[in-house]
Amino acid sequence: MSSTAVNVVRQRGFSFAEYTTCLNGIVWREALRFLHQRERFVSALVRPLVWLFIFAAGFRQVLGISIIPPYETYILYEVYIAPGLMAMIQLFNGMQSSLSMVYDREMGNMRTLLVSPLPRWYLLFCKLLAGTAVSLLQVYAFLLIAWLWDITPPPIGYLTVLPALILSGLMLGALGMLISSGIKQLENFAGVMNFVIFPMFFASSALYPLWRVQEGSPMLYYVCEWNPFTHAVELVRFALYGQVNWISLAVVGGCTAAFMIGAIFAYDPSRGLARRGPAGGET
């Protein structure tokens, strides 16, 4: 499209159909990539299933879980960690989507997308929605396997947890998008992720209740309290049992907005972190 045509389109604005076409195209491309990369689906399930089937069996007698909200009775350890493992899937998927953005930016696909006449914030939001949709498929596949393992929340929980999963998926995907904006080379991504994924996951309530963390290390307890991933886990945990953790909802919603605004700013070539030299795959 020539610059004159782009200016004309920007002056008259875009129709709802044009926005919808863009969204469908980006989501469909992400879905095709997901279908063609079956190992991505398998690897997304292997990590939480290892924790569920192996580690939970070993820790069950060591980490007994008392009656804490949203649970109304004593529960097995594997029941407690199930929401954390669901959030783990979304965490890894958000970072995997960010990896694909770094790859696309180097190969030119992302650069082509970002120079389209549509607003950049909308393009990034469509990319974020596509990644979240993929993570939902992975989480519900995990829930099916967990159900076969006799981890059975209330039937309504499979429906009430959906909004929480969407919001937590958007937050983690926006965080990954923000991180990817500052990575110039694909080789640097793995090192950066080691300083993001593992601290976020282990310094949270995904594997153990925070009251136990407070007994062992008050300092670590406050780190967990300030960790957005902790609130994503708690939001999913309460929603799975038909309840709302309002503090976690506010934190996850606020972090989603902050990370997304930061990513939009960072991907602005005139101001953000995505500005590159000729050899860096500029956008």
Side-chain angles (χ1 to χ4, degrees):
M1 182 179 291
S2 65
S3 59
T4 303
V6 170
N7 290 332
V8 171
V9 169
R10 285 176 175 168
Q11 289 175 2
R12 70 171 175 82
F14 296 92
S15 67
F16 178 77
E18 289 170 329
Y19 279 109
T20 303
T21 300
C22 174
L23 175 62
N24 290 339
I26 294 176
V27 172
W28 182 244
R29 181 178 182 273
E30 193 71 19
L32 289 177
R33 169 182 285 178
F34 176 70
L35 291 175
H36 292 157
Q37 297 176 349
R38 295 183 180 87
E39 65 278 1
R40 177 180 170 184
F41 177 76
V42 174
S43 63
L45 293 179
V46 166
R47 284 183 293 264
L49 291 178
V50 166
W51 277 100
L52 186 64
F53 296 154
I54 300 178
F55 286 90
F59 291 157
R60 180 185 300 170
Q61 302 302 324
V62 179
L63 294 174
I65 306 299
S66 61
I67 302 177
I68 56 176
Y71 308 108
E72 299 178 352
T73 183
Y74 289 98
I75 57 172
L76 295 176
Y77 179 64
E78 51 261 44
V79 174
Y80 175 82
I81 66 172
L85 299 181
M86 293 161 62
M88 175 209 273
I89 293 174
Q90 294 194 302
L91 175 63
F92 276 87
N93 183 80
M95 300 307 153
Q96 185 77 16
S97 297
S98 303
L99 174 62
S100 71
M101 290 188 70
V102 176
Y103 178 82
D104 286 347
R105 196 171 62 214
E106 286 194 352
M107 298 298 104
N109 297 330
M110 193 66 190
R111 177 166 45 189
T112 302
L113 178 65
L114 292 176
V115 298
S116 71
L118 283 159
R120 181 159 298 196
W121 68 265
Y122 181 73
L123 296 171
L124 293 174
F125 186 67
C126 289
K127 177 73 174 176
L128 183 59
L129 282 179
T132 302
V134 170
S135 74
L136 292 177
L137 295 176
Q138 296 170 336
V139 169
Y140 275 97
F142 169 77
L143 282 174
L144 176 60
I145 299 175
W147 179 79
L148 298 174
W149 197 252
D150 204 26
I151 298 175
T152 54
I156 191 64
Y158 293 101
L159 182 60
T160 58
V161 77
L162 180 59
L165 289 173
I166 293 174
L167 187 56
S168 61
L170 290 175
M171 184 193 76
L172 297 171
L175 174 61
M177 190 177 293
L178 177 60
I179 294 172
S180 71
S181 66
I183 299 176
K184 298 182 179 180
Q185 295 180 344
L186 191 62
E187 293 77 9
N188 298 335
F189 193 86
V192 173
M193 289 303 97
N194 286 333
F195 290 97
V196 176
I197 293 179
F198 294 113
M200 286 191 72
F201 178 68
F202 288 109
S204 73
S205 60
L207 300 179
Y208 20 73
L210 292 187
W211 65 267
R212 281 192 172 273
V213 176
Q214 190 175 24
E215 288 180 348
S217 174
M219 182 178 296
L220 180 58
Y221 169 79
Y222 289 110
V223 171
C224 295
E225 280 282 349
W226 284 92
N227 182 1
F229 185 73
T230 292
H231 296 281
V233 172
E234 293 307 307
L235 183 65
V236 171
R237 188 188 311 281
F238 276 73
L240 195 60
Y241 289 85
Q243 302 179 37
V244 179
N245 187 318
W246 294 105
I247 295 177
S248 295
L249 177 61
V251 172
V252 174
C255 288
T256 301
F259 295 154
M260 189 61 195
I261 292 172
I264 293 171
F265 178 85
Y267 270 94
D268 186 336
S270 64
R271 297 176 298 174
L273 301 175
R275 183 166 46 192
R276 302 285 181 258
E282 73 232 356
T283 54

PDB file of all heavy atoms in Angstrom, residues 72-101:
ATOM      1  N   GLU A  72     -13.344 -25.248  51.694  1.00  0.00           N
ATOM      2  CA  GLU A  72     -14.184 -25.358  52.882  1.00  0.00           C
ATOM      3  C   GLU A  72     -13.865 -26.588  53.707  1.00  0.00           C
ATOM      4  O   GLU A  72     -14.505 -26.827  54.730  1.00  0.00           O
ATOM      5  CB  GLU A  72     -15.665 -25.378  52.465  1.00  0.00           C
ATOM      6  CG  GLU A  72     -16.091 -24.099  51.743  1.00  0.00           C
ATOM      7  CD  GLU A  72     -17.535 -24.151  51.300  1.00  0.00           C
ATOM      8  OE1 GLU A  72     -18.162 -25.235  51.423  1.00  0.00           O
ATOM      9  OE2 GLU A  72     -18.051 -23.114  50.835  1.00  0.00           O
ATOM     10  N   THR A  73     -12.879 -27.359  53.269  1.00  0.00           N
ATOM     11  CA  THR A  73     -12.473 -28.543  54.008  1.00  0.00           C
ATOM     12  C   THR A  73     -11.006 -28.805  53.702  1.00  0.00           C
ATOM     13  O   THR A  73     -10.386 -28.100  52.903  1.00  0.00           O
ATOM     14  CB  THR A  73     -13.318 -29.763  53.607  1.00  0.00           C
ATOM     15  OG1 THR A  73     -12.924 -30.886  54.408  1.00  0.00           O
ATOM     16  CG2 THR A  73     -13.130 -30.099  52.145  1.00  0.00           C
ATOM     17  N   TYR A  74     -10.439 -29.806  54.357  1.00  0.00           N
ATOM     18  CA  TYR A  74      -9.058 -30.162  54.068  1.00  0.00           C
ATOM     19  C   TYR A  74      -8.973 -30.744  52.651  1.00  0.00           C
ATOM     20  O   TYR A  74      -9.875 -31.459  52.201  1.00  0.00           O
ATOM     21  CB  TYR A  74      -8.536 -31.185  55.082  1.00  0.00           C
ATOM     22  CG  TYR A  74      -8.323 -30.601  56.458  1.00  0.00           C
ATOM     23  CD1 TYR A  74      -9.279 -30.756  57.456  1.00  0.00           C
ATOM     24  CD2 TYR A  74      -7.167 -29.885  56.752  1.00  0.00           C
ATOM     25  CE1 TYR A  74      -9.090 -30.210  58.728  1.00  0.00           C
ATOM     26  CE2 TYR A  74      -6.967 -29.336  58.015  1.00  0.00           C
ATOM     27  CZ  TYR A  74      -7.929 -29.501  58.987  1.00  0.00           C
ATOM     28  OH  TYR A  74      -7.740 -28.959  60.232  1.00  0.00           O
ATOM     29  N   ILE A  75      -7.874 -30.433  51.970  1.00  0.00           N
ATOM     30  CA  ILE A  75      -7.705 -30.868  50.585  1.00  0.00           C
ATOM     31  C   ILE A  75      -6.344 -31.537  50.426  1.00  0.00           C
ATOM     32  O   ILE A  75      -5.433 -31.340  51.226  1.00  0.00           O
ATOM     33  CB  ILE A  75      -7.803 -29.683  49.603  1.00  0.00           C
ATOM     34  CG1 ILE A  75      -6.769 -28.614  49.963  1.00  0.00           C
ATOM     35  CG2 ILE A  75      -9.202 -29.112  49.573  1.00  0.00           C
ATOM     36  CD1 ILE A  75      -6.656 -27.501  48.938  1.00  0.00           C
ATOM     37  N   LEU A  76      -6.239 -32.329  49.387  1.00  0.00           N
ATOM     38  CA  LEU A  76      -4.957 -32.933  49.041  1.00  0.00           C
ATOM     39  C   LEU A  76      -4.049 -31.880  48.395  1.00  0.00           C
ATOM     40  O   LEU A  76      -4.523 -30.885  47.830  1.00  0.00           O
ATOM     41  CB  LEU A  76      -5.159 -34.093  48.076  1.00  0.00           C
ATOM     42  CG  LEU A  76      -5.936 -35.296  48.626  1.00  0.00           C
ATOM     43  CD1 LEU A  76      -6.147 -36.328  47.529  1.00  0.00           C
ATOM     44  CD2 LEU A  76      -5.214 -35.911  49.811  1.00  0.00           C
ATOM     45  N   TYR A  77      -2.768 -32.145  48.464  1.00  0.00           N
ATOM     46  CA  TYR A  77      -1.806 -31.183  47.923  1.00  0.00           C
ATOM     47  C   TYR A  77      -1.999 -30.970  46.425  1.00  0.00           C
ATOM     48  O   TYR A  77      -1.895 -29.844  45.928  1.00  0.00           O
ATOM     49  CB  TYR A  77      -0.381 -31.672  48.210  1.00  0.00           C
ATOM     50  CG  TYR A  77       0.691 -30.755  47.673  1.00  0.00           C
ATOM     51  CD1 TYR A  77       0.828 -29.455  48.155  1.00  0.00           C
ATOM     52  CD2 TYR A  77       1.562 -31.190  46.675  1.00  0.00           C
ATOM     53  CE1 TYR A  77       1.808 -28.615  47.654  1.00  0.00           C
ATOM     54  CE2 TYR A  77       2.536 -30.352  46.175  1.00  0.00           C
ATOM     55  CZ  TYR A  77       2.663 -29.058  46.662  1.00  0.00           C
ATOM     56  OH  TYR A  77       3.626 -28.225  46.161  1.00  0.00           O
ATOM     57  N   GLU A  78      -2.291 -32.049  45.682  1.00  0.00           N
ATOM     58  CA  GLU A  78      -2.461 -31.894  44.238  1.00  0.00           C
ATOM     59  C   GLU A  78      -3.684 -31.050  43.891  1.00  0.00           C
ATOM     60  O   GLU A  78      -3.709 -30.388  42.851  1.00  0.00           O
ATOM     61  CB  GLU A  78      -2.541 -33.257  43.551  1.00  0.00           C
ATOM     62  CG  GLU A  78      -3.541 -34.213  44.151  1.00  0.00           C
ATOM     63  CD  GLU A  78      -2.875 -35.208  45.090  1.00  0.00           C
ATOM     64  OE1 GLU A  78      -2.019 -34.766  45.885  1.00  0.00           O
ATOM     65  OE2 GLU A  78      -3.205 -36.412  45.016  1.00  0.00           O
ATOM     66  N   VAL A  79      -4.687 -31.054  44.752  1.00  0.00           N
ATOM     67  CA  VAL A  79      -5.844 -30.180  44.531  1.00  0.00           C
ATOM     68  C   VAL A  79      -5.432 -28.725  44.714  1.00  0.00           C
ATOM     69  O   VAL A  79      -5.864 -27.840  43.963  1.00  0.00           O
ATOM     70  CB  VAL A  79      -6.993 -30.546  45.491  1.00  0.00           C
ATOM     71  CG1 VAL A  79      -8.140 -29.554  45.368  1.00  0.00           C
ATOM     72  CG2 VAL A  79      -7.479 -31.960  45.209  1.00  0.00           C
ATOM     73  N   TYR A  80      -4.578 -28.478  45.716  1.00  0.00           N
ATOM     74  CA  TYR A  80      -4.135 -27.102  45.967  1.00  0.00           C
ATOM     75  C   TYR A  80      -3.312 -26.545  44.810  1.00  0.00           C
ATOM     76  O   TYR A  80      -3.489 -25.378  44.414  1.00  0.00           O
ATOM     77  CB  TYR A  80      -3.316 -27.033  47.263  1.00  0.00           C
ATOM     78  CG  TYR A  80      -2.739 -25.655  47.499  1.00  0.00           C
ATOM     79  CD1 TYR A  80      -3.529 -24.660  48.070  1.00  0.00           C
ATOM     80  CD2 TYR A  80      -1.434 -25.350  47.118  1.00  0.00           C
ATOM     81  CE1 TYR A  80      -3.017 -23.382  48.266  1.00  0.00           C
ATOM     82  CE2 TYR A  80      -0.920 -24.085  47.309  1.00  0.00           C
ATOM     83  CZ  TYR A  80      -1.706 -23.101  47.881  1.00  0.00           C
ATOM     84  OH  TYR A  80      -1.206 -21.837  48.053  1.00  0.00           O
ATOM     85  N   ILE A  81      -2.405 -27.352  44.262  1.00  0.00           N
ATOM     86  CA  ILE A  81      -1.493 -26.807  43.252  1.00  0.00           C
ATOM     87  C   ILE A  81      -2.112 -26.748  41.854  1.00  0.00           C
ATOM     88  O   ILE A  81      -1.523 -26.145  40.965  1.00  0.00           O
ATOM     89  CB  ILE A  81      -0.182 -27.621  43.184  1.00  0.00           C
ATOM     90  CG1 ILE A  81      -0.436 -29.044  42.677  1.00  0.00           C
ATOM     91  CG2 ILE A  81       0.513 -27.622  44.521  1.00  0.00           C
ATOM     92  CD1 ILE A  81       0.851 -29.818  42.423  1.00  0.00           C
ATOM     93  N   ALA A  82      -3.277 -27.343  41.649  1.00  0.00           N
ATOM     94  CA  ALA A  82      -3.879 -27.353  40.317  1.00  0.00           C
ATOM     95  C   ALA A  82      -4.069 -25.946  39.744  1.00  0.00           C
ATOM     96  O   ALA A  82      -3.694 -25.692  38.587  1.00  0.00           O
ATOM     97  CB  ALA A  82      -5.207 -28.114  40.340  1.00  0.00           C
ATOM     98  N   PRO A  83      -4.630 -24.967  40.491  1.00  0.00           N
ATOM     99  CA  PRO A  83      -4.740 -23.618  39.931  1.00  0.00           C
ATOM    100  C   PRO A  83      -3.391 -22.994  39.606  1.00  0.00           C
ATOM    101  O   PRO A  83      -3.255 -22.274  38.604  1.00  0.00           O
ATOM    102  CB  PRO A  83      -5.466 -22.835  41.032  1.00  0.00           C
ATOM    103  CG  PRO A  83      -6.192 -23.868  41.824  1.00  0.00           C
ATOM    104  CD  PRO A  83      -5.304 -25.066  41.801  1.00  0.00           C
ATOM    105  N   GLY A  84      -2.388 -23.253  40.431  1.00  0.00           N
ATOM    106  CA  GLY A  84      -1.058 -22.728  40.144  1.00  0.00           C
ATOM    107  C   GLY A  84      -0.471 -23.315  38.875  1.00  0.00           C
ATOM    108  O   GLY A  84       0.218 -22.624  38.116  1.00  0.00           O
ATOM    109  N   LEU A  85      -0.741 -24.585  38.621  1.00  0.00           N
ATOM    110  CA  LEU A  85      -0.259 -25.222  37.399  1.00  0.00           C
ATOM    111  C   LEU A  85      -1.008 -24.703  36.178  1.00  0.00           C
ATOM    112  O   LEU A  85      -0.438 -24.610  35.084  1.00  0.00           O
ATOM    113  CB  LEU A  85      -0.391 -26.741  37.511  1.00  0.00           C
ATOM    114  CG  LEU A  85       0.408 -27.379  38.647  1.00  0.00           C
ATOM    115  CD1 LEU A  85       0.212 -28.892  38.654  1.00  0.00           C
ATOM    116  CD2 LEU A  85       1.893 -27.047  38.533  1.00  0.00           C
ATOM    117  N   MET A  86      -2.276 -24.353  36.351  1.00  0.00           N
ATOM    118  CA  MET A  86      -3.018 -23.727  35.252  1.00  0.00           C
ATOM    119  C   MET A  86      -2.389 -22.385  34.896  1.00  0.00           C
ATOM    120  O   MET A  86      -2.215 -22.046  33.713  1.00  0.00           O
ATOM    121  CB  MET A  86      -4.483 -23.543  35.656  1.00  0.00           C
ATOM    122  CG  MET A  86      -5.241 -24.853  35.836  1.00  0.00           C
ATOM    123  SD  MET A  86      -6.763 -24.670  36.808  1.00  0.00           S
ATOM    124  CE  MET A  86      -7.683 -23.539  35.774  1.00  0.00           C
ATOM    125  N   ALA A  87      -2.056 -21.603  35.939  1.00  0.00           N
ATOM    126  CA  ALA A  87      -1.405 -20.312  35.687  1.00  0.00           C
ATOM    127  C   ALA A  87      -0.006 -20.509  35.117  1.00  0.00           C
ATOM    128  O   ALA A  87       0.472 -19.685  34.321  1.00  0.00           O
ATOM    129  CB  ALA A  87      -1.350 -19.497  36.981  1.00  0.00           C
ATOM    130  N   MET A  88       0.661 -21.604  35.500  1.00  0.00           N
ATOM    131  CA  MET A  88       1.981 -21.895  34.934  1.00  0.00           C
ATOM    132  C   MET A  88       1.898 -22.078  33.424  1.00  0.00           C
ATOM    133  O   MET A  88       2.753 -21.592  32.667  1.00  0.00           O
ATOM    134  CB  MET A  88       2.573 -23.149  35.575  1.00  0.00           C
ATOM    135  CG  MET A  88       3.894 -23.582  34.933  1.00  0.00           C
ATOM    136  SD  MET A  88       4.188 -25.358  35.023  1.00  0.00           S
ATOM    137  CE  MET A  88       4.962 -25.481  36.607  1.00  0.00           C
ATOM    138  N   ILE A  89       0.875 -22.769  32.964  1.00  0.00           N
ATOM    139  CA  ILE A  89       0.692 -22.969  31.527  1.00  0.00           C
ATOM    140  C   ILE A  89       0.575 -21.627  30.832  1.00  0.00           C
ATOM    141  O   ILE A  89       1.187 -21.389  29.783  1.00  0.00           O
ATOM    142  CB  ILE A  89      -0.561 -23.827  31.271  1.00  0.00           C
ATOM    143  CG1 ILE A  89      -0.348 -25.253  31.795  1.00  0.00           C
ATOM    144  CG2 ILE A  89      -0.902 -23.852  29.777  1.00  0.00           C
ATOM    145  CD1 ILE A  89      -1.585 -26.125  31.712  1.00  0.00           C
ATOM    146  N   GLN A  90      -0.189 -20.716  31.431  1.00  0.00           N
ATOM    147  CA  GLN A  90      -0.357 -19.404  30.816  1.00  0.00           C
ATOM    148  C   GLN A  90       0.925 -18.587  30.874  1.00  0.00           C
ATOM    149  O   GLN A  90       1.225 -17.820  29.949  1.00  0.00           O
ATOM    150  CB  GLN A  90      -1.496 -18.657  31.512  1.00  0.00           C
ATOM    151  CG  GLN A  90      -2.854 -19.302  31.289  1.00  0.00           C
ATOM    152  CD  GLN A  90      -3.989 -18.389  31.689  1.00  0.00           C
ATOM    153  OE1 GLN A  90      -4.064 -17.958  32.844  1.00  0.00           O
ATOM    154  NE2 GLN A  90      -4.868 -18.084  30.746  1.00  0.00           N
ATOM    155  N   LEU A  91       1.694 -18.738  31.946  1.00  0.00           N
ATOM    156  CA  LEU A  91       2.962 -18.027  32.060  1.00  0.00           C
ATOM    157  C   LEU A  91       3.921 -18.459  30.960  1.00  0.00           C
ATOM    158  O   LEU A  91       4.505 -17.623  30.266  1.00  0.00           O
ATOM    159  CB  LEU A  91       3.572 -18.281  33.443  1.00  0.00           C
ATOM    160  CG  LEU A  91       4.974 -17.704  33.677  1.00  0.00           C
ATOM    161  CD1 LEU A  91       4.955 -16.188  33.580  1.00  0.00           C
ATOM    162  CD2 LEU A  91       5.504 -18.150  35.043  1.00  0.00           C
ATOM    163  N   PHE A  92       4.084 -19.766  30.786  1.00  0.00           N
ATOM    164  CA  PHE A  92       4.989 -20.259  29.759  1.00  0.00           C
ATOM    165  C   PHE A  92       4.471 -19.928  28.364  1.00  0.00           C
ATOM    166  O   PHE A  92       5.245 -19.642  27.453  1.00  0.00           O
ATOM    167  CB  PHE A  92       5.198 -21.770  29.905  1.00  0.00           C
ATOM    168  CG  PHE A  92       6.259 -22.138  30.901  1.00  0.00           C
ATOM    169  CD1 PHE A  92       5.956 -22.289  32.245  1.00  0.00           C
ATOM    170  CD2 PHE A  92       7.570 -22.326  30.496  1.00  0.00           C
ATOM    171  CE1 PHE A  92       6.936 -22.628  33.167  1.00  0.00           C
ATOM    172  CE2 PHE A  92       8.562 -22.658  31.410  1.00  0.00           C
ATOM    173  CZ  PHE A  92       8.240 -22.816  32.742  1.00  0.00           C
ATOM    174  N   ASN A  93       3.149 -19.976  28.190  1.00  0.00           N
ATOM    175  CA  ASN A  93       2.598 -19.641  26.877  1.00  0.00           C
ATOM    176  C   ASN A  93       2.818 -18.164  26.546  1.00  0.00           C
ATOM    177  O   ASN A  93       3.104 -17.812  25.400  1.00  0.00           O
ATOM    178  CB  ASN A  93       1.104 -19.963  26.835  1.00  0.00           C
ATOM    179  CG  ASN A  93       0.499 -19.702  25.470  1.00  0.00           C
ATOM    180  OD1 ASN A  93       0.608 -20.501  24.547  1.00  0.00           O
ATOM    181  ND2 ASN A  93      -0.165 -18.560  25.308  1.00  0.00           N
ATOM    182  N   GLY A  94       2.663 -17.289  27.562  1.00  0.00           N
ATOM    183  CA  GLY A  94       2.915 -15.870  27.327  1.00  0.00           C
ATOM    184  C   GLY A  94       4.349 -15.614  26.920  1.00  0.00           C
ATOM    185  O   GLY A  94       4.607 -14.807  26.015  1.00  0.00           O
ATOM    186  N   MET A  95       5.277 -16.306  27.545  1.00  0.00           N
ATOM    187  CA  MET A  95       6.681 -16.131  27.179  1.00  0.00           C
ATOM    188  C   MET A  95       6.983 -16.776  25.822  1.00  0.00           C
ATOM    189  O   MET A  95       7.793 -16.288  25.052  1.00  0.00           O
ATOM    190  CB  MET A  95       7.578 -16.722  28.265  1.00  0.00           C
ATOM    191  CG  MET A  95       7.385 -16.069  29.618  1.00  0.00           C
ATOM    192  SD  MET A  95       7.547 -14.261  29.560  1.00  0.00           S
ATOM    193  CE  MET A  95       6.518 -13.774  30.940  1.00  0.00           C
ATOM    194  N   GLN A  96       6.307 -17.888  25.511  1.00  0.00           N
ATOM    195  CA  GLN A  96       6.479 -18.527  24.207  1.00  0.00           C
ATOM    196  C   GLN A  96       5.968 -17.607  23.101  1.00  0.00           C
ATOM    197  O   GLN A  96       6.602 -17.490  22.037  1.00  0.00           O
ATOM    198  CB  GLN A  96       5.720 -19.850  24.172  1.00  0.00           C
ATOM    199  CG  GLN A  96       5.929 -20.672  22.908  1.00  0.00           C
ATOM    200  CD  GLN A  96       7.266 -21.383  22.892  1.00  0.00           C
ATOM    201  OE1 GLN A  96       7.892 -21.501  23.941  1.00  0.00           O
ATOM    202  NE2 GLN A  96       7.687 -21.860  21.747  1.00  0.00           N
ATOM    203  N   SER A  97       4.854 -16.944  23.329  1.00  0.00           N
ATOM    204  CA  SER A  97       4.338 -15.998  22.348  1.00  0.00           C
ATOM    205  C   SER A  97       5.305 -14.837  22.155  1.00  0.00           C
ATOM    206  O   SER A  97       5.476 -14.331  21.046  1.00  0.00           O
ATOM    207  CB  SER A  97       2.964 -15.479  22.784  1.00  0.00           C
ATOM    208  OG  SER A  97       2.024 -16.525  22.847  1.00  0.00           O
ATOM    209  N   SER A  98       5.937 -14.422  23.240  1.00  0.00           N
ATOM    210  CA  SER A  98       6.927 -13.349  23.140  1.00  0.00           C
ATOM    211  C   SER A  98       8.136 -13.796  22.339  1.00  0.00           C
ATOM    212  O   SER A  98       8.708 -13.019  21.563  1.00  0.00           O
ATOM    213  CB  SER A  98       7.361 -12.913  24.541  1.00  0.00           C
ATOM    214  OG  SER A  98       6.247 -12.513  25.291  1.00  0.00           O
ATOM    215  N   LEU A  99       8.531 -15.054  22.529  1.00  0.00           N
ATOM    216  CA  LEU A  99       9.630 -15.604  21.741  1.00  0.00           C
ATOM    217  C   LEU A  99       9.292 -15.571  20.257  1.00  0.00           C
ATOM    218  O   LEU A  99      10.135 -15.237  19.421  1.00  0.00           O
ATOM    219  CB  LEU A  99       9.931 -17.032  22.194  1.00  0.00           C
ATOM    220  CG  LEU A  99      10.970 -17.815  21.386  1.00  0.00           C
ATOM    221  CD1 LEU A  99      12.329 -17.128  21.450  1.00  0.00           C
ATOM    222  CD2 LEU A  99      11.077 -19.247  21.895  1.00  0.00           C
ATOM    223  N   SER A 100       8.053 -15.887  19.929  1.00  0.00           N
ATOM    224  CA  SER A 100       7.647 -15.865  18.526  1.00  0.00           C
ATOM    225  C   SER A 100       7.682 -14.446  17.973  1.00  0.00           C
ATOM    226  O   SER A 100       7.966 -14.238  16.794  1.00  0.00           O
ATOM    227  CB  SER A 100       6.249 -16.469  18.366  1.00  0.00           C
ATOM    228  OG  SER A 100       5.254 -15.620  18.903  1.00  0.00           O
ATOM    229  N   MET A 101       7.405 -13.447  18.828  1.00  0.00           N
ATOM    230  CA  MET A 101       7.470 -12.067  18.374  1.00  0.00           C
ATOM    231  C   MET A 101       8.898 -11.649  18.071  1.00  0.00           C
ATOM    232  O   MET A 101       9.164 -10.938  17.101  1.00  0.00           O
ATOM    233  CB  MET A 101       6.855 -11.133  19.421  1.00  0.00           C
ATOM    234  CG  MET A 101       5.353 -11.260  19.551  1.00  0.00           C
ATOM    235  SD  MET A 101       4.624  -9.998  20.605  1.00  0.00           S
ATOM    236  CE  MET A 101       4.845  -8.544  19.581  1.00  0.00           C
TER     237      MET A 101
END
